[in-house]
Amino acid sequence: LREEGLAKIEACTSTKELQDIRVLYLGKKGPVQEVMKMMKDLSQEERPVFGQQVNEIKQTFEKAIEEKKVTLEASEINEKLKNEKIDITLSGLKPNLGNLHPLTVIQQELEDLFIGLGYEVAEGPEVELDLYNFERANIPKDHPARDMQDTFYIDDETLLRTHTTAVQMRVLEENAPQLPIKVVCPGKVYRRDDDDATHSHQFSQLEGLVVGENIRLSDLKGTLELVARRMFGESREIRIRPSYFQFTEPSVEVDVSCHICNGKGCPTCKGTGWIEILGAGMVHPNVLSMAGYDPLTCSGFAFGIGMERVALLKYGIDDIRHLYTNDIRFLKTFNRFE
Ligand code: PHE
């Protein structure tokens, strides 16, 4: 029995086979158990001797099976590893990485700049009340200036905001009469424009507002110079020209020296060396007092940047519609990780 069993164990070629042999020899119906049963027919003296022999055979089998198992397992793992060999020279699959939309990049750069200057970022609803979009911005009903911002009305009192100035009006009301106020308001705005290369019925602005004691036009100029340099390069200059907005007085239009020709004159700046980038001004006293501030003890500046315009100029994009049509080939050119 011993020889036969050991030979069978040795002949096993897989752990599965070995398991079968174990059941066959050591199981309930196996020969070892059979022999055990014979013990009851033996005499008192024979029994321990016989028992010892059977136990010895049993232990021999167990030991042999255990040893065989270790070798079989090792060779099975080796076999498996051999078949699973990885060819590290094979070129892999490139994961399809997304990237930020150019407008998002511009918005984040501007937000970072202003957060660095101690501003807070404020947001407001796109479906806005006439009150904040127009009235509080010193644009009363029937004022011809409302035409300038051809509006999508929802009903008499609600509309799609035409500028993020509406958010600034909310911030003023919420904080009055606390000073100082330093916020930038990024977001989408809507106007009834026919879409073409330079117009879109929906676009995005980032408007800034500072109100405090003794805030002056020179503070506005310094701030905007910083913006121009951050967005278009450190050697940029700005110039301000008189303009008109209802919510600022005086109002200005801000030009930045052309980043393509360095101010010498090229098609991008129409030969002038300057590119108009934003509107701004000193907050109108009416705006301050309507919101609950005393225009005699505080003053402020505000500015509004069209983010599409910055993106178009900065990246040399020739059609604003590229920013909305989501052509993946266009968007991929802004992937900074490739
Ligand atoms: N709200 C103006 C616009 O949409 C921009 C602006 C903001 C001008 C703040 C002056 C001050 O055109």
Side-chain angles (χ1 to χ4, degrees):
L1 180 64
R2 182 209 297 263
E3 299 307 316
E4 183 195 297
L6 286 179
K8 285 241 168 85
I9 291 168
E10 191 45 45
C12 279
T13 55
S14 72
T15 47
K16 166 111 191 19
E17 218 177 298
L18 188 66
Q19 180 61 18
D20 292 343
I21 296 288
R22 170 197 286 270
V23 173
L24 194 65
Y25 274 82
L26 299 175
K28 277 218 175 68
K29 295 194 175 113
V32 177
Q33 283 305 114
E34 287 300 316
V35 174
M36 287 285 229
K37 277 183 205 148
M38 287 157 61
M39 295 238 286
K40 63 181 188 313
D41 304 326
L42 298 177
S43 69
Q44 284 284 22
E45 298 80 47
E46 286 171 315
R47 215 174 275 174
V49 185
F50 187 81
Q52 213 177 356
Q53 279 178 345
V54 178
N55 262 336
E56 198 247 331
I57 291 189
K58 195 173 155 189
Q59 277 161 13
T60 309
F61 283 172
E62 271 165 1
K63 192 157 163 265
I65 289 172
E66 208 39 54
E67 281 169 9
K68 187 70 183 170
K69 192 169 155 201
V70 172
T71 32
L72 282 177
E73 271 175 2
S75 64
E76 276 170 16
I77 284 177
N78 281 338
E79 190 64 23
K80 216 169 165 185
L81 287 178
K82 215 157 72 192
N83 294 334
E84 278 178 5
K85 209 167 117 191
I86 293 167
D87 182 356
I88 55 162
T89 65
L90 248 150
S91 56
L93 288 177
K94 217 171 178 187
N96 216 349
L97 272 190
N99 57 276
L100 294 178
H101 190 282
L103 273 179
T104 309
V105 174
I106 298 284
Q107 180 173 340
Q108 288 181 350
E109 282 177 9
L110 285 168
E111 284 179 6
D112 281 353
L113 166 64
F114 283 105
I115 288 168
L117 294 174
Y119 285 59
E120 281 177 42
V121 177
E123 291 187 336
E126 288 173 33
V127 175
E128 184 53 285
L129 294 174
D130 186 286
L131 175 69
Y132 295 110
N133 195 81
F134 288 133
E135 294 287 331
R136 290 286 175 83
N138 200 31
I139 315 175
K141 289 214 164 51
D142 304 320
H143 192 285
R146 288 208 184 197
D147 293 347
M148 244 171 82
Q149 325 220 351
D150 242 342
T151 312
F152 289 113
Y153 278 94
I154 289 169
D155 57 36
D156 281 351
E157 275 152 38
T158 30
L159 43 80
L160 295 181
R161 68 182 179 200
T162 60
H163 49 190
T164 48
T165 305
V167 185
Q168 305 183 332
M169 299 308 122
R170 285 175 176 273
V171 170
L172 279 180
E173 183 188 77
E174 273 162 34
N175 288 280
Q178 271 180 80
L179 292 173
I181 301 269
K182 281 174 91 178
V183 285
V184 282
C185 312
K188 295 193 186 85
V189 299
Y190 303 82
R191 290 182 198 176
R192 292 178 58 148
D193 264 328
D194 288 330
D195 292 359
D196 62 24
T198 53
H199 294 86
S200 169
H201 62 281
Q202 180 219 288
F203 58 103
S204 39
Q205 294 185 320
L206 179 135
E207 296 203 344
L209 171 71
V210 172
V211 180
E213 278 168 36
N214 206 19
I215 301 291
R216 293 159 302 180
L217 191 65
S218 52
D219 298 316
L220 171 65
K221 191 178 180 209
T223 305
L224 294 179
E225 199 165 75
L226 209 61
V227 175
R229 291 184 177 165
R230 183 69 62 89
M231 300 315 281
F232 295 106
E234 288 308 313
S235 55
R236 296 280 73 81
E237 298 291 333
I238 63 167
R239 70 174 186 188
I240 55 183
R241 292 177 286 110
S243 183
Y244 178 77
F245 297 103
Q246 305 73 36
F247 32 90
T248 49
E249 181 59 35
S251 300
V252 298
E253 208 95 47
V254 179
D255 298 339
V256 57
S257 59
C258 182
H259 58 297
I260 306 286
C261 60
N262 218 0
K264 290 190 193 68
C266 72
T268 300
C269 57
K270 301 197 181 84
T272 65
W274 295 96
I275 295 173
E276 183 192 322
I277 53 160
L278 55 86
M282 300 307 291
V283 181
H284 197 291
N286 289 354
V287 170
L288 291 173
S289 53
M290 275 189 282
Y293 283 95
D294 178 1
L296 294 176
T297 58
C298 67
S299 56
F301 67 69
F303 57 87
I305 304 176
M307 290 198 275
E308 282 77 359
R309 185 153 172 73
V310 174
L312 261 49
L313 289 167
K314 186 167 176 177
Y315 298 125
I317 303 167
D318 59 3
D319 192 324
I320 194 172
R321 288 169 291 195
H322 282 311
L323 295 172
Y324 306 117
T325 42
N326 289 332
D327 184 331
I328 212 87
R329 292 165 302 180
F330 167 79
L331 295 174
K332 271 210 183 282
T333 60
F334 297 92
N335 195 340
R336 289 174 290 178
F337 303 109
E338 265 180 3

